[in-house]
Amino acid sequence: MGHFSRVEDRPTPKEVYNWRVYSAAMISAFAAVMIGYDAAFIGTSIALLSFKAEFGLDKVSASKFALISANIVSLYQAGSFFGSIFGYPLGFFYGRKVGLLVSAIVFCIGVILQVVASSNTGLGIIYAGRVIVGLAIGAASNLAPIYVAEISPPAIRGRLIGLYELCWQIGGVVGFWINYGVSINIASGRRQWLIAFAVQFIPGGLLFIGAWFLTESPRWLVSRDHNSQALKNLSYLRNLPDDHPYVVEEYESIERTIAHERGFVGAGFFGPLRNVLTNEMLIKRLFIGSSLFAWQNATGINAINYYSPTIFESIGITGTNTALLTTGVYGIIKLVGSLVWLLYLVDTLGRRYLLIVGSIGGGISMYYIGAYIAISKPATTSASGPVVLNAGGRSAVAFFYIWTIFYSPTWNGTPWVIGAEFFPQHVRTFTQACMAASNWLYGFLIARFTPQMFLAMGYGVYIFFASLMMLSIIYVFFILPETKQVPLERMEELFAPGLKPWRAHSVVMARVHEQNAATANGRTFRDFLGKPSHDRSEYS
């Protein structure tokens, strides 16, 4: 989309690319502002001297502070893990719209608990608030990407799901900068650290208001037998009459796909779960999608997001305000990288290429940082008093930002796009719950043990993450098929027996274009292939 160009799977009226579908995607993706802000602000809030003084953390040992900070961060991740699982029944029975609305309400309840905490209450109420906020975040991280994937025209699906990532980064930038702002403009005290916690009400409240105006997913409505409403919603989202050939064709495709899947696995709440767990090809897809979040966390992103002051201290940057400022610059680079990804890369270069390039550049950068720390030992030097970064230190900071440049337009949002695309409608709510749960589970492990890793491993942490990034290159090339512009109803064909992942996209897209040409000449896709497009053999 660098020039806002589109690669279409079939001739598409210009009315389809309208403000309705963009605004619906933007409102639902605003759930990610909550996620991005929470991921960014908490690590820098814990580092504030006013927060430490409020809860007596300025009097504990380094190892105990590492344990407490890990608990504050990781309880949020644990709540998000369970919230993403609870998001499955919420989205299955009540829909994407209601699910996002409930998530916003629960989120605000969790924020209330955090902002009433004080030295009198202790950290216990903050722990509880972090868990409740996490429950809401987990459910929203399940429902928002799947909603956007279901309402999007194929040519801009990656772009619209990318709005989720963009909102995540917008929240992150605010979260990274807010504590720098309060640290230099507000005197140390309760008010200083409380502001950052209270700002959580803004994204939570905006999602609550916006969710009332969402148009429910036509695909979900068909899956719940609300067919007439589904056609009406599809017509509204496509900005075309309900008898327009484009709408009719898409609606019939949705009906056929869901009817086929119901006939194959049966209806009901446990049908999707049984289908996935008894279907070898769907288990394979589930494993690939889940593993992408493991590889994403293997880049070290959550270690940096949640413990950025610790990261910069290890490089040799001293002083709370200086670390917060450096962290703020990191947040801006992430936002710019995400914009480039959203506006051009995701729907132009595709998913596989981005992940491979991100791993190469990111891995090299992490190796450099680790080598610098091993040789110069900046943390030891800074412990003896304030120091000025030498040329080597400045180069390490530069490579940290280079790592960010490679990570943000590649691994940051691409796994979410793939996870939302990979699965058929009938199991998508369940599988998206698994994708979101995977993200939060791996994030929990990183968040829980990062402080202890830095105490025990030092520069080895960077070597560890760099090596994992290099290993991910092999994994992506040999395991992950490209999904760019593949219609959701055709995604299963990428996993046809004997079709190599690195060739699957070209083969399937050739079929799509030939089908469209055949349809234009009065032939059906069944005539073209000689079998139904959703033949059961595609799954086995």
Side-chain angles (χ1 to χ4, degrees):
M1 174 183 163
H3 319 298
F4 292 91
S5 58
R6 295 180 287 263
V7 180
E8 298 174 340
D9 65 313
R10 57 181 168 139
T12 304
K14 66 180 186 303
E15 291 85 355
V16 169
Y17 308 113
N18 63 82
W19 69 269
R20 293 171 178 174
V21 70
Y22 276 98
S23 62
M26 190 66 184
I27 290 171
S28 62
F30 208 78
V33 177
M34 303 188 308
I35 306 174
Y37 182 81
D38 267 62
F41 97 94
I42 192 64
T44 51
S45 291
I46 295 171
L48 288 174
L49 295 179
S50 58
F51 183 87
K52 293 178 179 178
E54 177 83 39
F55 297 100
L57 302 181
D58 52 345
K59 299 180 178 65
V60 302
S61 64
S63 59
K64 186 168 184 181
F65 177 73
L67 177 62
I68 292 173
S69 60
N71 287 338
I72 293 173
V73 172
S74 62
L75 283 173
Y76 160 78
Q77 299 275 352
S80 298
F81 171 77
F82 289 104
S84 61
I85 296 173
F86 296 150
Y88 170 54
L90 187 62
F92 183 91
F93 289 112
Y94 300 105
R96 290 48 165 140
K97 176 178 178 176
V98 172
L100 289 172
L101 186 62
V102 171
S103 297
I105 295 171
V106 174
F107 180 86
C108 290
I109 293 173
V111 176
I112 291 172
L113 292 180
Q114 294 176 68
V115 298
V116 300
S118 67
S119 57
N120 295 325
T121 65
L123 287 171
I125 196 168
I126 284 187
Y127 290 154
R130 296 294 290 167
V131 171
I132 293 173
V133 161
L135 288 171
I137 289 295
S141 69
N142 175 343
L143 297 171
I146 192 174
Y147 172 76
V148 178
E150 289 178 351
I151 68 169
S152 302
I156 59 171
R157 187 175 63 238
R159 181 187 309 173
L160 293 184
I161 299 176
L163 288 174
Y164 182 85
E165 172 60 26
L166 176 63
C167 287
W168 192 316
Q169 297 313 313
I170 290 172
V173 167
V174 176
F176 284 129
W177 279 99
I178 192 165
N179 281 311
Y180 176 71
V182 298
S183 68
I184 63 174
N185 291 301
I186 297 181
S188 182
R190 173 176 167 77
R191 183 182 171 208
Q192 187 188 65
W193 66 264
L194 189 61
I195 289 174
F197 280 84
V199 167
Q200 294 176 93
F201 280 119
I202 297 175
L206 288 175
L207 178 64
F208 173 76
I209 295 170
W212 292 97
F213 299 95
L214 288 177
T215 302
E216 184 57 87
S217 162
R219 284 178 168 84
W220 179 80
L221 289 168
V222 171
S223 72
R224 304 300 295 169
D225 296 319
H226 302 305
N227 293 46
S228 60
Q229 186 63 47
L231 180 58
K232 183 184 299 183
N233 285 15
L234 183 63
S235 172
Y236 175 81
L237 289 168
R238 297 296 179 257
N239 198 27
L240 293 168
D242 57 14
D243 58 352
H244 189 283
Y246 184 92
V247 174
V248 171
E249 182 180 350
E250 183 174 3
Y251 176 75
E252 290 178 348
S253 176
I254 294 171
E255 277 197 327
R256 285 195 306 269
T257 301
I258 293 177
H260 165 80
E261 290 160 356
R262 280 180 170 173
F264 184 54
V265 303
F269 178 76
F270 293 103
L273 190 149
R274 284 194 303 268
N275 183 16
V276 172
L277 297 183
T278 59
N279 189 306
E280 181 180 343
M281 291 307 298
L282 288 179
I283 289 178
K284 177 182 178 181
R285 274 191 257 182
L286 189 66
F287 171 78
I288 295 173
S290 173
S291 66
L292 288 179
F293 290 100
W295 290 113
Q296 182 194 58
N297 277 275
T299 64
I301 180 59
N302 277 321
I304 295 168
N305 280 345
Y306 294 117
Y307 303 105
S308 49
T310 301
I311 298 290
F312 287 114
E313 182 182 342
S314 73
I315 296 176
I317 293 176
T318 58
T320 301
N321 286 354
T322 304
L324 293 176
L325 175 61
T326 311
T327 299
V329 175
Y330 156 72
I332 290 178
I333 295 174
K334 278 186 70 183
L335 174 61
V336 172
S338 297
L339 281 171
V340 173
W341 174 80
L342 172 65
L343 298 178
Y344 180 73
L345 297 177
V346 66
D347 279 330
T348 303
L349 297 184
R351 294 39 159 165
R352 277 166 51 91
Y353 182 77
L354 286 177
L355 296 179
I356 290 172
V357 170
S359 291
I360 293 173
I364 293 172
S365 300
M366 280 282 191
Y367 276 131
Y368 183 91
I369 297 170
Y372 163 75
I373 295 173
I375 295 170
S376 299
K377 298 179 173 55
T380 302
T381 304
S382 63
S384 60
V387 296
V388 177
L389 282 180
N390 57 22
R394 290 193 293 272
S395 70
V397 175
F399 266 92
F400 175 81
Y401 289 142
I402 291 172
W403 176 90
T404 309
I405 291 170
F406 274 99
Y407 173 84
S408 58
T410 58
W411 279 98
N412 211 23
T414 305
W416 288 103
V417 174
I418 296 172
E421 294 175 325
F422 247 15
F423 301 95
Q425 164 68 30
H426 190 60
V427 301
R428 196 174 295 137
T429 306
F430 169 70
T431 54
Q432 185 60 30
C434 294
M435 296 301 99
S438 298
N439 171 71
W440 297 115
L441 174 62
Y442 302 131
F444 167 79
L445 294 174
I446 295 295
R448 181 62 185 80
F449 297 109
T450 290
Q452 291 87 343
M453 287 174 65
F454 271 101
L455 288 175
M457 298 172 62
Y459 73 87
V461 176
Y462 296 96
I463 304 300
F464 173 72
F465 287 131
S467 300
L468 290 176
M469 291 189 81
M470 290 303 180
L471 288 174
S472 71
I473 298 170
I474 301 171
Y475 183 87
V476 170
F477 182 83
F478 287 103
I479 301 297
L480 180 68
E482 179 59 67
T483 60
K484 180 184 69 173
Q485 274 107 37
V486 177
L488 292 179
E489 286 71 31
R490 306 290 296 273
M491 204 63 66
E492 64 189 44
E493 297 175 35
L494 293 171
F495 300 89
L499 188 58
K500 303 299 183 185
W502 54 90
R503 294 189 61 247
H505 182 264
S506 59
V507 171
V508 172
M509 288 309 295
R511 291 179 187 172
V512 170
H513 294 312
E514 289 184 51
Q515 175 201 354
N516 291 337
T519 301
N521 292 324
R523 299 166 60 202
T524 66
F525 189 38
R526 183 180 184 123
D527 293 332
F528 170 67
L529 285 182
K531 65 175 184 178
S533 61
H534 297 281
D535 187 272
R536 181 169 177 163
S537 63
E538 299 283 7
Y539 287 98
S540 58

